[in-house]
Amino acid sequence: MRRSEPLWVLYTDGGSRGNPGPAGSGFVLRDPAGTLVCVSGHFIGHATNNQAEYDGVIRGIEHALSRGCARLEVRTDSQLVVRQMTGRYRVKNAGLKGLHARAQALAAGFEYVRFVHVPREENVEADAAANSAMDAKADVGGDTHQCEEQPGALTLF
């Protein structure tokens, strides 16, 4: 693939009610044209907010890789995740070290990947997916062609 190939965009988020507490993660994948490909939320049980943030990154990257994406921009409102994934911050928390290592290993599967911090206002879809999963205490959403077919599917539009 050429370096000039357009970027896919992945929005990720995670949250915990109680921190730690019941937690969920979400991601939204858009193709290079900006078309919505997938909205997915996951209930992950008892976790911290930062663990949930990493869960969203990991699940989103796994999905992007399964789609054959070569170039990806990961957008999240977690400054901690962005700074750790770009090497600006060390990972000191024992509960995040394994998640960070997994996310780094997955990110290495792309021809090009970058992590970008965005304001919460630009991450509402991924936030909604994470919150829907926490509300349902179950996974929600999926590929856009499947969303209408799945019971309890996540609808954002």
Side-chain angles (χ1 to χ4, degrees), residues 2-83:
R2 294 186 311 253
R3 184 101 168 122
S4 62
E5 182 179 327
L7 291 172
W8 287 65
V9 178
L10 175 69
Y11 291 89
T12 70
D13 202 8
S16 174
R17 297 182 178 156
N19 201 24
S25 67
F27 70 85
V28 174
L29 182 63
R30 292 188 177 274
D31 70 15
T35 303
L36 181 65
V37 173
C38 184
V39 178
S40 188
H42 302 274
F43 182 69
I44 59 174
H46 191 81
T48 67
N49 182 66
N50 290 331
Q51 289 169 325
E53 294 278 6
Y54 266 107
D55 187 78
V57 169
I58 290 166
R59 289 176 190 264
I61 288 175
E62 286 174 338
H63 190 78
L65 286 168
S66 77
R67 290 286 201 159
C69 301
R71 297 172 45 79
L72 183 70
E73 180 171 284
V74 179
R75 299 178 183 174
T76 178
D77 58 24
S78 172
Q79 287 187 3
L80 178 76
V81 168
V82 170
R83 290 176 180 172

Side-chain angles (χ1 to χ4, degrees), residues 71-125:
R71 297 172 45 79
L72 183 70
E73 180 171 284
V74 179
R75 299 178 183 174
T76 178
D77 58 24
S78 172
Q79 287 187 3
L80 178 76
V81 168
V82 170
R83 290 176 180 172
Q84 288 178 338
M85 290 300 293
T86 59
R88 191 167 168 200
Y89 284 2
R90 287 189 345 218
V91 182
K92 298 177 186 176
N93 182 291
L96 298 181
K97 286 184 179 184
L99 295 169
H100 175 264
R102 175 82 177 132
Q104 287 285 3
L106 288 166
F110 293 98
E111 174 187 304
Y112 173 82
V113 64
R114 73 176 166 214
F115 291 84
V116 178
H117 176 260
V118 295
R120 285 185 175 180
E121 300 79 39
E122 292 181 26
N123 205 29
V124 294
E125 294 172 325

